[in-house]
Amino acid sequence: MTVLVDRQTKKGPWVDQLKGRTLIEWVEDRTPGDSRLEMCIQCGTCGGSCPSGQDMDHTPRQLFAMLRAELEEEVLNSNTPWFCVSCYLCTVRCPQEVKITDIMYTIKTLAVADPRTHANTARDFSETFIGYVDRFGRSFEFGLASRHALSHMPNSVQGVMELGLGLLTQRRMDLTPTKIKNLPQLSKILHRAKELEAEL
Amino acid sequence: MKYLFYPGCSMEKSAIPYLMSLKAIEDKLSMELVELEDWNCCGATEYSAVNRIASHALVGRNLAIAESMSAESHTLVAPCSACYLNLSKTDHYLQEDRIFKARIDDALAAGDMSYTPGSIEVRHALDVIYNEIGLEKIKANVVKPLKGLRVAAYYGCMIVRPDLHGYYDSHEYPMILEELLEALGAEVIDFPMKTHCCSGHMTQISGETAYELIRRLIYGATRYEADLMVTLCPMCQLNIDAYQSEANRYFKTDYVMPILYFTQLIGLAFGIDAKDLGIGQEFVDPRPALAKIDVEVDEAPAATKKRRVKEEGLPMPQMPGKNGGGD
Ligand code: SF4
Ligand code: SF4
């Protein structure tokens, strides 16, 4: 882990976007509702509750300490937000009512947008998924599973293919994606939303 | 009673049996589900990992459609826990955060839409069936009690957490599904894992992590000698049913724990034919369990069928943007 960087002299890619805010404040501004990230008292209840904690690089508590210490690259490249399965157990247990799960989503968006983030399967999965939503207005499970598996898990393709075949023979999967009728309307909404996100 | 209805993408794909069984019991429960017109995907847990505002604007479009149809009903029913949470969360934050609301208003306006926060009440199908329709109505329709069937009531995460509107009795140890299943005549086991995670989309990201979470659940249900697990979420059903053999292979175990939707069990207790409830489309064969209540299913589930993988492989779906597919 690198040492704490002095915010005044730092010339990281986020300096412009931070607009004088601390990293914690920036994450809070990007998270809908009152995320209460600054209220974290480092008690560790979150990490102790987390079902995928054993596979995470850092517990949620550690990740929030890293945000406070402005360890940008370490935060971006921590697998922690990507291993969050959105179970909300930490969120309902946190004594400070920090909206931990929501903050995990925000950290993921920062990682997706930042060139310093290393290649990562989970990030690609999310991007593949939303690619379908943007183009069809609907998600497409089979396309998702097969396309993702082909590029990331060549060794498990057989398993995924068998699963796909099973779902097909069980009539539980459709080969043609459904497209919503008013896709242009949805596209305009999403386009404007993405412009607004860039201003945050 | 009329309700607006948001099926969500899974209900039309991997969770068709959930949709079939919900439709099959609709009349008997005096429900009329009015599907949202031209609804879009809720974004699951993926859209908000890439873009926060757009993920809520995506959901905002569905809420706006619901508001435009509110002459039918102000209650919007979602049977998928992820869809339910995304809809209810967006509505909640729109009421709580004015800056956020201004941004979503702006985005929706680009599509000539608008939504008044709080105008639509988002509810999960289990919540509506338990709290609005009620156990009395359910009991009155039971003609074939599920006597002798030992079931594990499995809620998963997103229905009871974070529960922004306070509809549930507990974040971690709710009882409403147990009460409902008991009203159907089933024997409900104690299941401490009832609100543990099914692994969500982790099956696509890290198999090892996902299989461990799936293993814990099927281990727990097996230890307490459940005949089957009962779910209320398409994602939970898919993970535990379709990935059970992968988890078994990974841990060299041989668990056989079928999982059905609560709506399918309601249907069985109402005397509806298993086939009309979409039963028979599972990977893990529920027939031995269902035999205990004298339910016969003609079709063999996938896992018990001899599987032949053709040499040329599966027909591949056309990818968007490639070969002009889909656009
Ligand atoms: S449970 Fe809450 S207060 Fe405690 S370390 Fe986690 S986020 Fe901080
Ligand atoms: S919501 Fe995410 S971080 Fe919190 S306990 Fe669940 S998996 Fe862990």
Side-chain angles (χ1 to χ4, degrees):
Chain A
M1 224 177 247
T2 55
V3 291
L4 191 69
V5 184
D6 176 18
R7 280 178 31 77
Q8 303 307 314
T9 57
K10 189 181 61 174
K11 291 274 183 290
W14 282 351
V15 167
D16 289 345
Q17 286 148 287
L18 286 170
K19 294 176 195 145
R21 294 171 289 188
T22 64
L23 203 45
I24 295 255
E25 286 164 348
W26 193 40
V27 169
E28 286 184 328
D29 284 352
R30 296 177 74 91
T31 309
D34 184 6
S35 70
R36 295 177 58 88
L37 177 55
E38 84 286 2
M39 303 301 283
C40 172
I41 51 170
Q42 292 287 302
C43 71
T45 303
C46 44
S49 304
C50 185
S52 42
Q54 76 271 21
D55 294 324
M56 287 177 170
D57 292 336
H58 312 97
T59 63
R61 177 192 67 77
Q62 286 172 322
L63 193 68
F64 298 164
M66 286 154 61
L67 277 177
R68 197 173 288 279
E70 313 249 321
L71 298 171
E72 295 182 5
E73 292 201 40
E74 286 79 359
V75 169
L76 287 176
N77 287 304
S78 170
N79 76 1
T80 299
W82 300 104
F83 272 68
C84 168
V85 287
S86 301
C87 76
Y88 292 86
L89 201 51
C90 53
T91 299
V92 299
R93 286 182 176 177
C94 171
Q96 288 294 85
E97 298 179 31
V98 177
K99 304 293 185 297
I100 303 165
T101 320
D102 284 340
I103 293 163
M104 290 297 173
Y105 283 127
T106 301
I107 297 173
K108 289 188 222 191
T109 65
L110 296 181
V112 167
D114 201 293
R116 289 172 295 171
T117 310
H118 306 149
N120 145 0
T121 312
R123 165 184 161 174
D124 289 1
F125 176 73
S126 291
E127 290 190 302
T128 306
F129 186 99
I130 81 153
Y132 281 103
V133 178
D134 284 352
R135 281 170 179 275
F136 298 103
R138 294 280 179 88
S139 61
F140 178 31
E141 292 166 304
F142 182 71
L144 178 65
S146 55
R147 185 183 186 181
H148 182 72
L150 286 170
S151 52
H152 288 287
M153 306 183 201
N155 297 332
S156 74
V157 166
Q158 187 61 27
V160 174
M161 283 304 179
E162 283 186 21
L163 175 60
L165 186 67
L167 287 170
L168 271 176
T169 55
Q170 295 304 92
R171 300 187 302 273
R172 281 168 63 179
M173 209 172 249
D174 197 346
L175 279 178
T176 46
T178 321
K179 185 148 69 170
I180 64 168
K181 284 191 224 116
N182 204 341
L183 191 60
Q185 179 187 51
L186 178 64
S187 303
K188 280 182 208 151
I189 292 171
L190 294 178
H191 179 77
R192 180 65 190 134
K194 286 172 190 176
E195 283 176 355
L196 290 164
E197 178 109 356
E199 292 166 12
L200 290 178
Chain B
M1 186 71 182
K2 268 191 187 178
Y3 298 98
L4 296 176
F5 180 53
Y6 177 81
C9 303
S10 308
M11 296 287 269
E12 300 194 332
K13 300 267 163 63
S14 61
I16 289 169
Y18 194 9
L19 184 63
M20 284 173 74
S21 53
L22 183 62
K23 288 278 168 196
I25 60 173
E26 202 180 328
D27 277 355
K28 289 205 159 76
L29 295 178
S30 313
M31 297 171 86
E32 191 186 328
L33 299 172
V34 183
E35 185 170 334
L36 288 195
E37 278 157 28
D38 203 33
W39 53 271
N40 53 258
C41 173
C42 79
T45 50
E46 270 55 46
Y47 217 113
S48 51
V50 180
N51 199 303
R52 301 299 324 250
I53 310 250
S55 74
H56 290 283
L58 182 75
V59 177
R61 180 175 177 272
N62 291 323
L63 289 170
I65 294 169
E67 187 177 357
S68 74
M69 294 171 70
S70 59
E72 304 274 6
S73 169
H74 289 281
T75 304
L76 175 62
V77 179
C80 165
S81 299
C83 299
Y84 157 72
L85 178 56
N86 281 337
L87 287 160
S88 90
K89 198 157 134 179
T90 299
D91 186 40
H92 177 84
Y93 286 148
L94 284 172
Q95 294 180 61
E96 180 186 282
D97 184 341
R98 281 171 51 212
I99 301 171
F100 171 68
K101 180 182 178 296
R103 291 179 183 134
I104 299 300
D105 284 349
D106 188 336
L108 287 177
D112 288 323
M113 296 189 108
S114 68
Y115 173 67
T116 316
S119 64
I120 291 294
E121 184 188 55
V122 182
R123 312 280 292 259
H124 189 281
L126 172 68
D127 165 30
V128 165
I129 290 175
Y130 178 91
N131 286 308
E132 302 297 323
I133 313 255
L135 293 186
E136 290 316 310
K137 177 96 185 164
I138 290 170
K139 281 183 192 155
N141 279 289
V142 172
V143 294
K144 210 166 170 293
L146 311 178
K147 219 168 150 17
L149 189 67
R150 287 173 62 87
V151 296
Y154 177 53
Y155 297 79
C157 309
M158 293 181 189
I159 181 170
V160 286
R161 290 189 299 268
D163 189 20
L164 298 164
H165 296 86
Y167 289 134
Y168 298 91
D169 45 343
S170 166
H171 289 309
E172 296 185 33
Y173 216 81
M175 288 303 288
I176 64 172
L177 183 55
E178 278 87 340
E179 286 177 32
L180 192 152
L181 294 168
E182 268 169 11
L184 302 177
E187 190 183 331
V188 184
I189 65 150
D190 192 17
F191 186 45
M193 320 290 294
K194 62 173 130 179
T195 60
H196 284 221
C197 180
C198 74
S199 82
H201 279 169
M202 195 51 70
T203 44
Q204 303 293 310
I205 295 163
S206 166
E208 290 83 349
T209 308
Y211 301 150
E212 168 56 15
L213 299 185
I214 294 167
R215 186 199 64 80
R216 289 179 199 177
L217 293 166
I218 51 182
Y219 164 81
T222 307
R223 268 299 291 273
Y224 286 84
E225 296 175 3
D227 295 319
L228 51 83
M229 286 169 69
V230 182
T231 179
L232 41 82
C233 173
M235 176 60 69
C236 296
Q237 205 281 342
L238 185 71
N239 281 342
I240 290 158
D241 185 32
Y243 287 92
Q244 192 169 130
S245 63
E246 284 294 311
N248 270 329
R249 201 178 308 177
Y250 184 75
F251 290 107
K252 301 189 171 48
T253 50
D254 52 5
Y255 293 109
V256 181
M257 181 50 64
I259 178 164
L260 292 177
Y261 293 103
F262 77 105
T263 43
Q264 291 178 312
L265 291 197
I266 295 176
L268 288 176
F270 286 3
I272 300 170
D273 209 56
K275 216 168 169 200
D276 298 332
L277 299 166
I279 297 177
Q281 303 193 26
E282 304 76 24
F283 284 83
V284 181
D285 193 354
R287 287 177 304 170
L290 296 179
K292 292 179 80 174
I293 49 167
D294 296 323
V295 168
E296 287 195 11
V297 186
D298 322 329
E299 210 165 335
T304 57
K305 270 186 209 158
K306 203 157 180 288
R307 202 179 277 157
R308 257 168 29 102
V309 180
K310 282 196 209 123
E311 257 170 54
E312 67 269 29
L314 276 179
M316 287 298 290
Q318 291 207 314
M319 296 305 170
K322 279 187 191 159
N323 316 321
D327 280 300

